[in-house]
Every structure is written in structure tokens, then in C-alpha cells.
Amino acid sequence: MEANSSPLHRGPLIAAGILLGAGLGGFVDGIVLHQILQWHNMLSGKLPPNNLIDAKVNMYWDGVFHAAVWVMTALGLRLLWAVGHRRDVPWSGRTFFGSLLIGWGLFNVIEGIIDHEILGLHHVYEYTIRHLPADLAFLGFGLLLLLAGWALVRAGRTDTTPAAASH
Amino acid sequence: MLKLLATLALLLAATTAQACAVCRPRVEAAIHAPDYTDTLLLLLLPVALLVGGVLLLFFSPTLFSWKPTPPRSTVAP
């Protein structure tokens, strides 16, 4: 009863979902683009991986970035654990999965704008003179994820069962 | 079969990672260049922005909060 009269907060669940989504999206980026396709290396704009030494230096900075992505994922898990104990946070699957998509989308958009377009540290596909198509596809995919995530989070507005009361 | 065994024997006998033994000092020098800290900070900027924004959202008492109307069943006389 008390939970019905006190304010509900979706922010903490959205925050946990965004961090976890950004972390998992970062792992997809690291595994698929960096390792399997051998694209999108962190310093390839400054140091194209055209020889073994430069490729290994890029590999080092890829590792540093993905270590930070791991920290983001672990922090997201910690926030989700905290949310699970709160009675003022609705335990909504739509809100959470929407937030995961928003997190992945934000990862692509923020990384794409800062690293690709502003700083020029690297591009999604470095081995061409026309970097823009792949960079725009990366950003466009991020925007699609943001839109899908936002729609799910909106749909979850009606979910009001508190986290601590749902199990 | 003999060729395969000979190749395996050669591989076992070879010292590991000859190429890297040669290039390793150059790799380390290129990583720990004078601009190491600058590169590190630039690289981590997107992650820092994301984490900062999310923590603000997590600890904000007003963002995405609302007071729900009581369900009809509890309001009934």
C-alpha cells in the first residue's frame, strides 16, 4: 500500500540498463568489428595498422578501451543489483530492455561523434579514402537503437510493480 | 604424413615468436610514447561521458519519477 502512495522512480532502472546496454554494445563492437572483421581499431586514424608494430599498438589501445567497457558493464550490474532492492522502482521488463537498447545506441552515437568525427582518432572502416559511409552507417544504427529503446521505455511507463515486491 | 610430422617437429623445435622478439621493444616504445596520457584521456572520453550521465540519472531524485494514482480497487468504498 505504501508503495502506491509514494513516488515511483524509473531513473535508476533506466540508468542500470543504459550502462549494461552500452557495455554489451561495446563488447559486440569489440568482438565483431575489431577482432573478427579487423576494422575500427582505436588509433587507426593516427596510426594505420599497415605493419605488425602499428597493428600491435592499435591492439593495445583496443584492449584499453574494452577494459573500460568491461568496467561500464560491471558498474551497470552493480546498479541493477541496487535497483532490485528498492520498492520505489518499478521492475519493468520493457523499461529495462528499452534502456539496454538506448545504452547500445548511446555508445554508438557518442563514440561515433567524438572519436570518428570530432577527434578523428579512427573510422569504422579505415582502408578507403571515403570513411563517411561506414561512419554514417554506424551512427545510423545507433540512432535506430535509440529510437527502438525510447519506444520500449515509453511503453513501460504503465508498469508499476516495484522491484522489491515482484519476487 | 611424413611431411606433416616433419613440419610439426620443426614447429616444436623453433623458438616461439621470433618476429615478436625482434619487434617487441619497438612496440613497447610506440605504446609508451610521450603522448600516452593524452591518448588515454581522449580514448576514455566517451566512456567517461556515458558513465557520468548515467550516474547523474541514477542518483537524481526527480528525473523519470512520478506519483502514481492509486489503483481503482483500492479507492472503492
Side-chain angles (χ1 to χ4, degrees), chain A residues 80-142:
Chain A
L80 186 65
W81 181 262
V83 166
H85 292 92
R86 287 178 59 166
R87 298 188 64 84
D88 63 329
V89 180
W91 195 243
S92 160
R94 290 185 291 189
T95 303
F96 179 64
F97 287 110
S99 308
L100 287 179
L101 294 182
I102 288 178
W104 189 1
L106 276 177
F107 174 87
N108 276 28
V109 169
I110 293 176
E111 202 268 334
I113 290 175
I114 293 178
D115 287 349
H116 305 168
E117 309 309 329
I118 298 176
L119 300 176
L121 284 180
H122 63 261
H123 299 280
V124 175
Y125 187 69
E126 205 70 58
Y127 312 100
T128 174
I129 50 167
R130 294 178 66 235
H131 300 125
L132 204 56
D135 286 353
L136 287 180
F138 188 80
L139 279 174
F141 180 58

Side-chain angles (χ1 to χ4, degrees), chain A residues 1 4-12 14-15 18-19 42 53 56-57 60-61 64-65 68 72 83 114 119 157, chain B residues 20 23 26 30-31 35-36 39-40 42-44 46-47 49-51 54 57-58 61 64-68 71 74:
Chain A
M1 277 305 150
N4 285 341
S5 57
S6 57
L8 291 174
H9 301 96
R10 290 201 304 161
I14 294 174
I18 288 177
L19 265 197
M42 290 312 296
I53 291 168
K56 285 173 81 69
V57 173
Y60 172 85
W61 288 110
V64 169
F65 187 73
M72 227 167 30
V83 166
I114 293 178
L119 300 176
R157 279 182 308 181
Chain B
C20 286
C23 72
R26 290 168 64 192
I31 289 171
D35 62 346
Y36 183 91
T39 306
L40 184 68
L42 286 179
L43 214 83
L44 297 183
V47 173
L49 284 176
L50 252 167
V51 171
V54 163
L57 174 62
F58 187 84
F64 290 97
S65 71
W66 77 100
K67 200 159 185 165
T74 60

